[in-house]
Amino acid sequence: MDKKIEELANILEDETIAIRRSLHRYAERGWLEYRTASLIARRLDNLGYQVLVGKEVMKADARMNLPPKSILDLSYKRALLQGADKYYLEKVKDGYTAVVGILKNGKGPTVGIRFDMDALGILESKNEEHIPTQLGFGSCNLGAMHACGHDGHVSIGLTVAKILMQIKESMHGTIKLIFQPAEESVRGAKSVALSGILDDIDYLYAGHIWPQNPGDDSDLYLGMDETFATTKLDVFYHGVSAHASGMPQFGKNALLSAASCILNLHAIPRNSDGCTRINVGTVQAGTSRNVVPEIAKLEIEVRGATSQLNQYMEVYARDVIQGAALMHDTYVEIKEVGKAFTIDCDQPFMNKIRQIISTYQPQIKIAKKDCGALDGSDDFSYMTSRVQSHGGQATYMQFACKVTETPHNDAYDFDESILKKAVIIFSTITYHLLKND
Ligand SMILES: [Zn+2]
Ligand SMILES: [Zn+2]
């Protein structure tokens, strides 16, 4: 059967790449994955999966930082023009873009695999050396780009779905393929986790396409560490506008609060307990040159190698934000718009995967060290902790490959040969967890 899985992955490689390129071309940002989600649902449906979408697998009020209605509506119209599946588009509109494909095959364990599917708010490079531009599959949706490999994740998921359906007679148990929206800025997993769809899962895993370390040609890390806990905050300073020359003393300067805030956020001391991060990603303020700025908005994030370190950063940051309001007598509003925890990968599960892959797919190079470093955050943590809380096991793997630039760069691209390897890895693990005795 392992040979068959490898053969099917080979046969389906071109199709997997084509799907990835199509998703790349029509990149959609978090909560707006209408074309993406509707086509995933259609495909799973056609393959014979039970398909649950939108409200069936999401807790509506746990969706974090949804775009305004106007953007939701525009993106819906765009998806319609770009070939979305009309039946499923109706079910995923208004930011209900999660899709779960379920294959029930008698009594046995329940396995869940998670695939994230959103793009980033990046203007893709038009440089001819950038392969998606050169080959004509660069994003046609201005300001949305798959620069984190989630296009690859979805294409891997759809091919895995096809292979598992073809070999289902040799397995018993339940498979849940979970396509999660809005992973970027860690906003989407919580709503899926709280829907209860994960509550019967015995084994849960995900994988992220990630840059190979220099001098390391491993394809697979069984888990990831240095997954940071993180909090995303939107900060709004409200001041009072006034004539900048005539009577500046009557103004309350929101821009100055924001500026003081930015500098002092970056002055939060390091912590000897471990790594921390802070970033102010955007700032918008003021309306006109000769007006004391009345409004300012910042989008910031803090991270920590442990939940305690993230908490240290968040508490300190909130004090700085409040302090900067006090300095210029403005009023501040802080909105939490994303959150994730550190991910604990289960060692026994990683051991089991090492044994399965090294025995049955020895061509896949597994790193000696179990865990690769993510040096980032992923809200998959909501899902792992949900599954672990009822005794299930979980891990978050790394599919290592050559890349052109770091993730989240406008010229990021990855070596597509990793797609086939990831398909083999997921399909083989699932088969061995569920195979008939
Ligand atoms: Zn990312
Ligand atoms: Zn990512």
Side-chain angles (χ1 to χ4, degrees), residues 38 74 84 260 319 376:
S38 72
L74 271 177
S260 309
D319 286 347

Side-chain angles (χ1 to χ4, degrees), residues 12 115 125 132 137 199 300 315 331 372 374 377 387:
L12 295 169
F115 311 93
S125 170
F137 68 92
D199 292 354
I300 77 163
V315 168
Y331 165 72
L374 180 66
S377 309
V387 165

Side-chain angles (χ1 to χ4, degrees), residues 1 9 25 29 51 69 92 104 138 200 230 243 252 255 270 272 275 303 327 334 340 392 408 419 422 430:
M1 187 57 70
R25 176 107 182 109
R29 296 190 64 188
V51 178
K69 181 91 173 80
V92 300
K104 284 189 182 145
D200 60 348
T230 183
H243 196 290
K252 295 181 194 292
L255 184 150
R270 302 285 74 82
S272 62
C275 286
R303 304 191 199 221
M327 283 170 76
I334 306 174
H408 296 201
L419 299 175
T430 309

Side-chain angles (χ1 to χ4, degrees), residues 133-204:
T133 301
Q134 195 185 102
L135 300 184
F137 68 92
S139 176
C140 64
N141 290 337
L142 209 65
M145 177 196 171
H146 274 292
C148 201
H150 301 185
D151 47 349
H153 300 169
V154 173
S155 69
I156 292 164
L158 291 176
T159 302
V160 167
K162 204 165 191 175
I163 292 178
L164 293 177
M165 188 54 84
Q166 289 200 34
I167 63 168
K168 71 171 181 176
E169 300 307 332
S170 49
M171 295 184 285
H172 60 284
T174 300
I175 296 165
K176 291 187 171 179
L177 304 176
I178 302 149
F179 293 85
Q180 179 215 307
E183 188 286 321
E184 296 294 351
S185 295
V186 292
R187 298 170 293 154
K190 187 180 180 185
S191 69
V192 177
L194 292 184
S195 76
I197 192 74
L198 311 174
D199 292 354
D200 60 348
I201 289 180
D202 301 295
Y203 300 101
L204 176 72

Side-chain angles (χ1 to χ4, degrees), residues 14 46 84 106 264 299 306 354 357 377:
D14 287 349
N46 290 349
N264 284 286
E299 292 181 337
T306 62
R354 182 182 287 281
I357 297 297
S377 309

